[in-house]
Amino acid sequence: MALTFPTDSRPMNTADAPAASSDSTATDGLAATTGAPRTPTARGPLSNRILTLVRTTPTDDDSATADLAADAAAAVAASIDIVNDDDIQLALFLLYGLHYGSLADANDAWEWHPHLIAARRVIEAAFEAQLRRDVPVPDAPEPTMAAVADTLFTLTGAESSGPSLSRFVAAKANREQLEEFLIHRSIYTLKEADPHSWAIPRLSGRPKAALVEIQADEYGGGRPDRMHAAIFAGTMTGLGLDTTYGAYLDFVPAVTLASQNMMSMFGLNRRLRGAIAGHLAAFEMTSSIPNGLYARGFRRNGFDDAVCWYFDEHVEADAVHEQIAGRDLAGALAEDEPDLLPDILFGAAACLTVDDWAGQVMVEAWSAGASALRMPRATTSGTAA
């Protein structure tokens, strides 16, 4: 079924929806992004405790949660790699999920419980420390809009040291690998723009206006069926995938969760508002060309314009967004608050680095003839993959 749109008089901020061919399986993804999320499976003792806890009702007796931060500290101390630690990344994802409403059966009363926040802060501290240690950050320019934008364009234009996910998808990926690609991306993209929106009340003036301008497009310019998350759900539907949020959470590795968790950490902590601004700038600056390559890979596998609309939309929209994000958001923020410049660059570099890590997991697995998922799943053809 083709994506359909209201015929009102508001200006269109995004590209027109393509007409689906008669045999297209693409459908409107709006309803798919509003249903109840799925319950994940614990990956270790810490995520198991949190998953069990949030399904209960908090009481005045805090004895059951008093040692949660200590458990988090023990898990962090025992881990040799926070980014790739399944138990820790899922635990952090669950704690952030209370703010997004993305946990099935979770009691909303836990959202700001001090013991859960304390546990989250323990994990965040270790996660942030590893990112600051392992992410290469460029030297800071003068804190001017032009200089910061130039530095960000240079950073995002540099060739990655790892294999290119977008080029692999364009030239080599088969149907099952395209499905796995969408499964990995669904963790963020079915909630596209939400992590960056936490920054709106944390900014002011020019940077705030720039962020709102970008986010308005991400959320469809007032049209729910044009929200990028809904368009992406339509792409997933076109490949026969389940668009319920969290349907594939158990299948993605820790580094995929780490990419989402990093955005949430940057967005939810005001002291990291520079990092979330830098992250969005790099995200937008590296979107247009890769999405063109993704669209090429999907069309090479026989998918029509309706399925490829999500990627086509980002080729056009993000060519504009990259200028706004680099200059009016990140550059203006550096001018207004020069002390945030190191974090702006850190956030941008972390975006590129962690996305490269997640992409390498996929490309290396597929190049070896293996799945890039944690466990086998039933494919759209009914076979295991």
Side-chain angles (χ1 to χ4, degrees), residues 59 61 100 126 166 169 177 184 208 225 231 261 280 301 351 373:
T59 67
D61 181 6
Y100 290 105
S166 58
V169 169
Q177 290 164 346
H184 277 261
K208 185 172 196 168
D225 45 6
I231 300 173
N261 287 339
L280 181 57
N301 277 270
C351 172
L373 303 179

Side-chain angles (χ1 to χ4, degrees), residues 332-350:
L333 181 60
E335 284 190 344
D336 293 351
E337 299 187 70
D339 289 347
L340 296 183
L341 179 55
D343 271 358
I344 292 171
L345 298 176
F346 165 61

Side-chain angles (χ1 to χ4, degrees), residues 11 16 41 51 95 103 106 133 173 175 179 199 247 262 297 328 334 367:
D16 287 340
T41 303
L51 193 59
L95 292 170
L103 302 181
R133 184 193 71 205
R175 165 68 184 252
E179 291 177 11
M262 176 178 66
D328 302 327
S367 297

